[in-house]
Amino acid sequence: MSTEECVWREHVVQRLRERDRKECENFKEIIVQNNRLIDHVAQLKSDNLKLSVENEQLRNAVSTGGSGSNVAIATLEKKLLAQQEELTDLHKRKGENSQMIVDLNVKVEQQKKLLAEKERSFNEQQTVNNRLRAEVQLLNSSLEELKKLNTTLLDEHTALQLAFSSLEDKMRSVQDENRCLLERLMRYKSKDADKLNEENESIIRKRLPSIFRKRSAKLKRDLEDAVREPNSPNSQTVPAIPHSNSAAQFPIAGSDDDFDEASLNDAMDALKFNGEDFRNPAGDARCDDAARNSAQSIDTLKAAGYLGQPNPTKILMKFEAHENESHAVRWSPVERLVATGGADRKVKLWDIGKGGTEPRAVLSGSSAGINSVDFDSTGAYILGTSNDYGARVWSVMDCRLRTLTGHSGKVMAAKYVQEPNKVVTGSHDRTLKIWDLRSIACIETKFAGSSCNDLCTTDSLGSTIISGHYDKKIRFWDIRTEKQADDVLMPAKITSLDLSKDCNYLICSVRDDTIKLLDLRKNQVISTFANEHFKVSCDFARASFNSGATKIACGSADGAIYIWNVNGFLETTLKGHSTAVNAVSWSPNSNALASVGKSKRCIIYSDS
């Protein structure tokens, strides 16, 4: 610090000298001239004094007499006048120089004041400079510490990445093992169900014939009484109901999944419950009662669960899911958790098991309305698509967000492929994109040539992608090759797709107000579901299989939900919505059905 202080002091002295030199150089000549003039004035004053003395002497000499000296006197007088004029001029120049000196003194004072201000400012700046130097030293030391800490954190990050990779590999192996165990468990459960069905069938064969014999005998007596009624001259002969002792004539299903329309028809044929047997032109009341009793018998069997799984006809929960229109709903595969998406740009999770009307979590991050939601097979992640040309993946546990951007149109659907690494998305930009969730990047783009409204994958490996499009076509994509399978043409544009668990059947909701059932093994439509009151509500209306793929549910524009049996007949219609229903979803673990519509409301239906 002493060396630096000497340097700036020498610098200040040098600057002062240079300033004095510059300021004095301009007035040096004037000062010299002024000094000369002062000396000259003093000399002239002494000469004037001498001349005055000589003049007095001459005057005295003249007064005493002498003609020769008049000329000298005149000469001296002229010389005296010239000296006086010169003296006057010198006095004038002296005054000017004095005024100039006064002005210069004023400027010198001003410069001194300015110099004092500069010195004070210089001292302040020097103080600030010293303080800043101290701060720089502190910051340098802090920087060194941060560099060391950063190096340590980088090493820890590398170690954590390695640990994460190993844990991720372990998780994949555990998931594969879990998948294998689930498959084994499903096989064991299927075997147990088959055994239980066999036991139920044996019990039913023992019990049902007596029930049907009693009802058949009663019905026979009623019909015979009606025939013998004397007040019915136009009555026709009613055929007798055959009595059956064989339980094999009633092919009653042993489980919910085994029920079909043929079972019901066979039971009716065995009892001769058909329209021809009950036509009564005379309008006999007893025949009408018999027909009603037969229909009630069939309804009683269905209600008891012998002819099929009961439908979710009761409203379990009803709540306001979003601030405006709701677009999508999906059940979690592992717990009683429902995810909904709406035009308010949010995905909300609802814990149905607890029965609360407050969301368990609100997943934000989208800048436009949500079009679809879907869980992965473990229920740990939820996938949502949006009108802002992007798709997003949230973790259910901590709501952590990953965003997939790259489409140039609104994204309508997304599904997991080769879990948990890849996702496929379908968009109105006429493309399908496959994303790697580890790098959050698009790894493949498939050009469909038409806007995609929905898609699904055929198995856990996601080897085949099925997409439904605006141009009325269902397209099949094999991600292992570049080839595309044959398309299936529908009569109108497609709004949604859903796949059965065994990946053998596909339902497709179509804008001509029908639902098509396709057998993927034959790649053709095997059944069409429709109703005179059923209208597809919008271009993204979602239909859904139940867990056993025995029933199909879809919302309608009139606010009702229609449930068909896969064998072709309409089982029931659910009421509750006051506006069009956009999406429905069956619970994979129970007989519950979730639905959302153009209103804010979400309704959960259950059979108990």
Side-chain angles (χ1 to χ4, degrees), residues 509-566:
S509 59
V510 188
R511 207 63 174 95
D512 65 349
D513 301 327
T514 62
I515 296 177
K516 308 291 184 182
L517 176 63
L518 288 81
D519 189 339
L520 295 182
R521 295 166 294 186
K522 301 177 182 178
N523 218 29
Q524 64 183 15
V525 177
I526 60 174
S527 185
T528 299
F529 305 92
N531 187 274
E532 59 180 346
H533 302 296
F534 173 72
K535 303 292 181 184
V536 175
S537 60
C538 59
D539 287 345
F540 54 87
R542 309 298 189 190
S544 176
F545 267 126
N546 71 339
S547 58
T550 59
K551 299 182 181 183
I552 299 168
C554 187
S556 173
D558 61 1
I561 299 173
Y562 291 76
I563 298 179
W564 288 273
N565 189 283
V566 292

Side-chain angles (χ1 to χ4, degrees), residues 256-274:
D256 296 337
D257 294 342
D258 295 334
F259 169 68
D260 57 16
E261 187 181 13
S263 302
L264 181 60
N265 293 335
D266 291 343
M268 294 179 68
D269 292 339
L271 291 175
K272 301 299 180 183
F273 293 161
N274 52 57

Side-chain angles (χ1 to χ4, degrees), residues 32-155:
V32 172
Q33 291 295 333
N34 186 47
N35 292 334
R36 289 179 180 176
L37 288 173
I38 291 172
D39 295 338
H40 196 192
V41 167
Q43 182 67 30
L44 288 176
K45 283 183 178 180
S46 62
D47 291 343
N48 189 24
L49 182 59
K50 290 179 180 180
L51 290 173
S52 298
V53 172
E54 290 178 359
N55 189 22
E56 288 295 330
Q57 291 176 357
L58 290 173
R59 286 181 184 276
N60 293 329
V62 170
S63 62
T64 56
S67 58
S69 60
N70 289 332
V71 177
I73 290 171
T75 303
L76 290 173
E77 287 180 353
K78 289 181 181 180
K79 188 175 181 181
L80 179 61
L81 290 174
Q83 291 294 329
Q84 286 179 348
E85 291 177 357
E86 187 177 358
L87 179 61
T88 302
D89 185 47
L90 289 175
H91 280 296
K92 182 178 178 181
R93 291 176 64 185
K94 179 181 177 182
E96 292 176 355
N97 289 332
S98 297
Q99 184 63 38
M100 188 179 295
I101 289 172
V102 171
D103 294 338
L104 290 174
N105 287 331
V106 172
K107 288 184 179 181
V108 168
E109 292 297 327
Q110 293 177 352
Q111 292 297 326
K112 285 182 179 180
K113 291 180 180 179
L114 183 61
L115 178 62
E117 293 178 357
K118 294 289 186 183
E119 287 179 351
R120 185 172 60 256
S121 176
F122 176 76
N123 292 331
E124 292 176 355
Q125 293 297 327
Q126 186 179 6
T127 304
V128 173
N129 189 20
N130 293 332
R131 186 172 63 252
L132 292 175
R133 287 178 185 274
E135 291 180 0
V136 167
Q137 289 179 353
L138 291 175
L139 291 175
N140 286 330
S141 61
S142 300
L143 180 62
E144 293 298 327
E145 293 178 358
L146 289 174
K147 285 181 178 179
K148 293 178 181 178
L149 181 60
N150 187 32
T151 304
T152 304
L153 291 175
L154 286 175
D155 295 338

Side-chain angles (χ1 to χ4, degrees), residues 2 19 137 139 151 202-203 240 242 256 297 376 472 492 519 579 585:
S2 60
R19 187 203 64 183
Q137 289 179 353
L139 291 175
T151 304
S202 63
I203 294 172
D256 296 337
S297 300
D376 70 332
K472 311 177 186 180
D519 189 339
T579 58
S585 177

Side-chain angles (χ1 to χ4, degrees), residues 270-289:
L271 291 175
K272 301 299 180 183
F273 293 161
N274 52 57
E276 297 295 333
D277 293 338
F278 297 107
R279 275 186 291 183
N280 183 17
D284 192 284
R286 294 188 179 183
C287 290
D288 293 340
D289 291 339

